[in-house]
Amino acid sequence: MITAYKDDGRTPLVDPLGRALAQALKAATADMPTDGPFLVVPVPSARRAVRRRGHDHMRRMAEAAVRELRRAGLPATGLAALRQCRRVRDQAALSRPARAANLAGALETHPAADVAGRTALLADDVLTSGHTLAEATRALEEAGADVPAAATVAVTLRRPGS
């Protein structure tokens, strides 16, 4: 379903995927120390991937999730606060150590994004190695955000030897 939405142009799938992401974010908020307002920050795609797909799949999915969270009475606000600051290789064929090296220092907080002192939950489509979420957390925390949790719609199974 994620591949059909993300890469095959099946954009109406944003609604069920947004609901699934909202459920994961709700679970993440259950362990947060406060019940105050929080940001939902999507992990950004490379600009060339967005151009190729014709849409920013995570930004749209995060927006759908925020709508669901607000309907449920949670004080969520979506903010596309992150951007890539250098090119990265496609992660699909990389080993865990290569993924970490590929992503190190690849994300930064957008200069116009005011995240200092705010609580931010990361949102991504698939958790594979965790390096993307670690890099996104680093970038947000360097800008002064508190990042207590992240949520994804799916997780890949570890392959033997990885």
Side-chain angles (χ1 to χ4, degrees), residues 1-14 17 43-63 125:
M1 192 169 162
I2 291 170
T3 301
Y5 165 66
K6 179 176 170 176
D7 295 321
D8 297 339
R10 304 269 312 273
T11 56
L13 292 171
V14 71
L17 289 168
V43 171
S45 295
R47 283 178 284 223
R48 67 187 179 280
V50 172
R51 280 192 305 274
R52 185 183 75 245
R53 293 179 182 129
H55 66 110
D56 186 334
H57 80 287
M58 273 314 305
R59 188 175 191 160
R60 293 182 69 214
M61 195 186 309
E63 289 167 352
D125 54 358

Side-chain angles (χ1 to χ4, degrees), residues 48 84 86-95 98 102-103:
R48 67 187 179 280
Q84 290 193 343
R86 66 171 177 78
R87 290 186 110 181
V88 296
R89 293 176 46 207
D90 185 349
Q91 299 274 96
L94 299 180
S95 66
N102 186 43
L103 288 170

Side-chain angles (χ1 to χ4, degrees), residues 60-153:
R60 293 182 69 214
M61 195 186 309
E63 289 167 352
V66 166
R67 285 191 300 274
E68 285 292 315
L69 293 169
R70 291 178 145 224
R71 275 193 278 268
L74 293 171
T77 301
L79 182 63
L82 295 171
R83 66 181 183 181
Q84 290 193 343
C85 55
R86 66 171 177 78
R87 290 186 110 181
V88 296
R89 293 176 46 207
D90 185 349
Q91 299 274 96
L94 299 180
S95 66
R96 289 178 65 83
R99 283 175 183 253
N102 186 43
L103 288 170
L107 296 177
E108 67 183 4
T109 304
H110 194 284
D114 180 20
V115 298
R118 299 175 78 182
T119 300
L121 299 183
L122 284 166
D124 204 0
D125 54 358
V126 180
L127 173 67
T128 303
S129 66
H131 295 299
T132 301
L133 292 174
E135 174 60 14
T137 298
R138 180 208 55 79
L140 285 169
E141 287 179 344
E142 279 186 6
D146 175 37
V147 186
T152 65
V153 174

